[in-house]
Amino acid sequence: MAAHPFKICDDNILGRHLVTTRPIESGAVILQEAPLVRGPFLHTVPVCLSCGKILDASCWRPCSKCGWPVCDKNCEQSPTHQSECILTAAKGSQITIKNFGIPNPNYQFVSILRALYLKQTSPEKWKKLLSFQSHSIEVSTLPPSFIRNFFKLEDWSEEEIAQVLGVLLVNGHELPLTQPSQLVVYDEASFLEHNCRANCTKTFTDEGELLVVASRSIEPGDHLSICYTDPFWGVQNRRQHLHQTKHFWCVCSRCEDPAELDTHLNSIKCPKSTCDGLLLPKSFLQEVSVWICDKCDGLFSNDNVSVLLGKIGGELSEMPKGDAQVCREFLQKYEKVLAPNHFYLLDVKMALSHILASQNFEDLSDGDLGLLLKMSEDLKIVAERVAPAERRLLGLILYRTAKSKIEMARRQDNLSEFRAVLANSKATMSEARLLLANEPSSLPEGRLHRQIGLELRLLDDLLKNK
């Protein structure tokens, strides 16, 4: 087995992190590993503790040993369920779950128990888990003393329980293979540092192994990074989220640039009727007092801008999901106020793109087809510039771009033009398929990868026969 193309380094600022030791090509799998811990998130509705699916009052049974809900006898006997089963049974009383469809507080213990049980079943994994960065947890959240006493965990100290909880919260990844998603902790992947313009992306196998994939060519000596937050949020939202969840303020090169690589994700239009400039503060890394127009040099109070953005953000959060007309009205209203690529507009454009693309392309009106193509092209430019690691989104965007162009050409009744579009779209679809190559078949992106393969064969047939 080939050695990893990276080494683990350590310093006082980053802690442990990964640095490349040889060139890595875009699309290469850098790391593949199984989780150390896998289980439900700390707040979840009742789920089967083997397969992870949501349970309701008509489709479950209590485990005969511990009382935790499972689907059937096979799930009860699954190795996945044994950690919490053994530790629960050992305390002398079973767990009782009566209400389904609403979050149950008992589930906050499951992943903790699975992590703690490594101390008895896998000392090597236990040692790795305790070596991860952790942060102190408010006692009111999950008192380690309560967990220890409730489950009679005499072999674990309160300090160990607190550290495990901190590790799960700080180092946990979301595994989206089940509904709801699961919480997982990996070993070497936990050393990937954050960058808002990361050079790696993460995905998963159908078995829950993590794949770390290079999103661009990476040179020896480069740090490997993923994005811990939503890369299409504005800089203030990203930094605040990272501080709240990961306990650091991001100062990456993208956050340092208020214009976000000239995409103007945070900019608003100058309110002066005679000016077509955009407003931004000099920096988001320090307290903002004024926003400055890049054309007229006008100064505008941060308080007034914050009120405006708060109003728009509030309206966005209350928008009904899946309503194309509401999305159109929001865009029409706030394209007059916000920069074309403002992250609020991007959010709605992505939502509207999903709505339109969920229909048969043949059924879209000419106007909606053109709108979908325009939004896809705009989103592609922004994604490639600020978030090249978003391979799933880029693959989806390229697919929609190709499909829109093919359908538009089909309606033109120009055979030579149609053939040219087919040839061009075949290349675009091939690129989309490559971007989605590592997606699991259980997720929509993995299924789209398979679908694109079938559609490429149809394009080949059309190009041969026309």
Side-chain angles (χ1 to χ4, degrees):
M1 186 177 191
H4 291 324
F6 59 79
K7 60 183 178 180
I8 300 174
C9 298
D10 199 352
D11 68 32
N12 294 331
I13 298 176
L14 295 174
R16 287 181 292 179
H17 56 281
L18 305 181
V19 177
T20 55
T21 55
R22 62 175 185 263
I24 301 174
E25 294 182 355
S26 177
V29 175
I30 298 172
L31 176 65
Q32 179 173 351
E33 65 172 333
L36 292 175
V37 181
R38 175 177 177 177
F41 274 93
L42 303 188
H43 302 284
T44 179
V45 298
V47 295
C48 175
L49 293 184
S50 175
C51 67
K53 78 174 185 179
I54 295 176
L55 300 175
D56 59 44
S58 65
C59 67
W60 75 285
R61 57 179 281 174
C63 173
S64 59
K65 296 177 182 178
C66 65
W68 284 106
V70 291
C71 290
D72 51 35
K73 187 175 181 180
N74 289 333
C75 283
E76 177 179 332
Q77 296 176 348
S78 166
T80 303
H81 168 54
Q82 296 313 299
S83 300
E84 65 276 4
C85 183
I86 292 171
L87 292 178
T88 302
K91 77 184 182 69
S93 60
Q94 294 190 345
I95 291 289
T96 301
I97 304 292
K98 295 182 178 179
N99 298 317
F100 294 83
I102 58 175
N104 189 293
N106 285 318
Y107 278 84
Q108 64 191 312
F109 303 123
V110 176
S111 291
I112 298 172
L113 293 175
R114 291 182 180 182
L116 292 172
Y117 198 54
L118 292 175
K119 183 177 181 179
Q120 295 184 344
T121 59
S122 180
E124 181 180 353
K125 290 182 179 180
W126 174 249
K127 182 178 179 181
K128 289 179 179 179
L129 199 67
L130 294 187
S131 71
F132 291 164
Q133 183 180 14
S134 179
H135 291 276
S136 61
I137 306 300
E138 292 293 333
V139 173
S140 60
T141 306
L142 278 171
S145 59
F146 176 83
I147 299 172
R148 187 171 188 267
N149 294 332
F150 184 76
F151 286 95
K152 300 178 181 179
L153 302 174
E154 297 179 357
D155 293 336
W156 292 266
S157 67
E158 290 183 19
E159 290 74 18
E160 287 175 325
I161 296 172
Q163 185 171 2
V164 162
L165 177 56
V167 167
L168 292 177
L169 294 177
V170 173
N171 297 279
H173 295 256
E174 179 183 1
L175 181 64
L177 301 182
T178 59
Q179 186 56 250
S181 299
Q182 292 183 313
L183 173 69
V184 286
V185 174
Y186 297 93
D187 178 17
E188 291 178 302
S190 295
F191 303 144
L192 287 162
E193 64 191 78
H194 163 79
N195 193 295
C196 292
R197 192 176 187 273
N199 57 18
C200 296
T201 187
K202 67 177 184 181
T203 186
F204 307 92
T205 68
D206 284 303
E207 294 71 37
E209 292 183 319
L210 182 75
L211 295 178
V212 178
V213 181
S215 60
R216 58 173 174 80
S217 297
I218 303 174
E219 298 301 320
D222 286 351
H223 291 210
L224 297 179
S225 61
I226 57 175
C227 187
Y228 293 0
T229 187
D230 190 325
F232 296 102
W233 286 350
V235 59
Q236 291 176 304
N237 303 62
R238 296 196 311 272
R239 297 185 78 237
Q240 187 65 40
H241 179 255
L242 290 167
H243 184 253
Q244 291 176 344
T245 60
K246 302 300 182 181
H247 308 281
F248 70 88
W249 291 104
C250 184
V251 291
C252 72
S253 59
R254 182 180 161 193
C255 286
E256 286 181 333
D257 176 12
E260 302 235 29
L261 306 176
D262 291 326
T263 58
H264 287 278
L265 257 68
N266 309 278
S267 301
I268 65 174
K269 292 183 176 180
C270 182
K272 294 181 179 179
S273 59
T274 57
C275 180
D276 61 354
L278 297 174
L279 306 187
L280 273 177
K282 289 185 177 180
S283 174
F284 285 108
L285 302 189
Q286 56 197 26
E287 186 175 356
V288 177
S289 58
V290 295
W291 291 56
I292 308 168
C293 178
D294 63 355
K295 292 287 183 67
C296 70
D297 294 326
L299 302 180
F300 300 87
S301 165
N302 180 63
D303 291 339
N304 292 337
V305 173
S306 296
V307 169
L308 172 65
L309 293 177
K311 174 181 177 295
I312 299 173
E315 185 174 329
L316 177 60
S317 66
E318 295 176 1
M319 281 176 56
K321 306 297 182 184
D323 191 322
Q325 184 57 33
V326 171
C327 290
R328 292 189 186 92
E329 291 172 357
F330 182 96
L331 294 175
Q332 184 178 16
K333 180 179 181 180
Y334 289 114
E335 282 174 344
K336 303 172 184 176
V337 179
L338 303 173
N341 292 327
H342 192 279
F343 65 93
Y344 283 156
L345 298 181
L346 288 183
D347 191 25
V348 176
K349 287 178 181 179
M350 283 192 277
L352 182 54
S353 295
H354 289 319
I355 295 169
L356 295 179
S358 66
Q359 307 173 48
N360 291 325
F361 281 67
E362 295 84 354
D363 296 334
L364 292 174
S365 67
D366 289 349
D368 280 347
L369 193 61
L371 177 61
L372 177 58
L373 176 59
K374 177 65 167 59
M375 290 190 299
S376 297
E377 291 175 334
D378 291 345
L379 290 169
K380 175 178 179 289
I381 292 172
V382 176
E384 288 180 336
R385 190 168 298 176
V386 301
E390 296 302 302
R391 294 171 67 87
R392 282 182 291 275
L393 178 61
L394 281 166
L396 193 61
I397 289 172
L398 289 176
Y399 173 74
R400 291 172 178 172
T401 300
K403 289 282 287 186
S404 299
K405 287 183 176 180
I406 290 172
E407 177 57 23
M408 291 176 75
R410 185 187 69 81
R411 299 179 186 187
Q412 299 307 310
D413 195 27
N414 185 321
L415 183 57
S416 60
E417 177 65 22
F418 184 54
R419 285 183 59 83
V421 171
L422 287 181
N424 181 268
S425 297
K426 177 185 174 183
T428 303
M429 278 199 182
S430 296
E431 185 179 353
R433 188 166 184 261
L434 185 63
L435 288 167
L436 300 174
N438 294 303
E439 299 305 312
S441 60
S442 56
L443 292 184
E445 294 86 358
R447 294 191 288 273
L448 180 58
H449 174 264
R450 175 178 171 79
Q451 179 182 332
I452 292 175
L454 298 175
E455 293 191 24
L456 282 172
R457 287 197 283 273
L458 291 175
L459 287 180
D460 280 335
D461 291 340
L462 285 173
L463 288 168
K464 290 176 183 176
N465 297 329
K466 287 288 184 179

